[in-house]
Amino acid sequence: MGSTSDKISGKANEIAGKTKRAVGRATDDPDMQAKGDVQEAKGKGQVAAGKVKDKLKGAVDRL
C-alpha cells in the first residue's frame, strides 16, 4: 500500500474502532468495546506507517 492509502485506511479503522467502542459501552458489551479498542489501535498503526513511508520517500528523494 502507498502512504496515502495507509493513512486513509488507518483513519477509517480509527473511526470504526471508536464507533464499536461507543456501541459496546452503550450496550454494556465488553467484547465489543475490546474489538473497538483493537481496531482503533490498528488504525493508529496504519496512519503511523503511512507517515513513516512519507518520511522515507522524502529522504530518498533528497539523495
Side-chain angles (χ1 to χ4, degrees):
M1 263 190 211
S3 64
T4 302
S5 60
D6 280 342
K7 290 187 274 185
I8 291 169
S9 295
K11 284 295 181 184
N13 273 318
E14 282 185 56
I15 292 167
K18 287 178 184 181
T19 302
K20 282 183 184 179
R21 187 175 62 224
V23 169
R25 284 184 185 154
T27 60
D28 196 29
D29 183 351
D31 186 50
M32 180 68 80
Q33 286 179 358
K35 287 179 182 179
D37 289 339
V38 169
Q39 189 166 5
E40 184 178 359
K42 176 184 174 183
K44 287 180 179 184
Q46 286 174 310
V47 170
K51 289 179 180 179
V52 168
K53 285 180 183 179
D54 281 343
K55 288 185 187 234
L56 288 173
K57 184 179 181 319
V60 169
D61 288 346
R62 285 187 293 246
L63 293 177

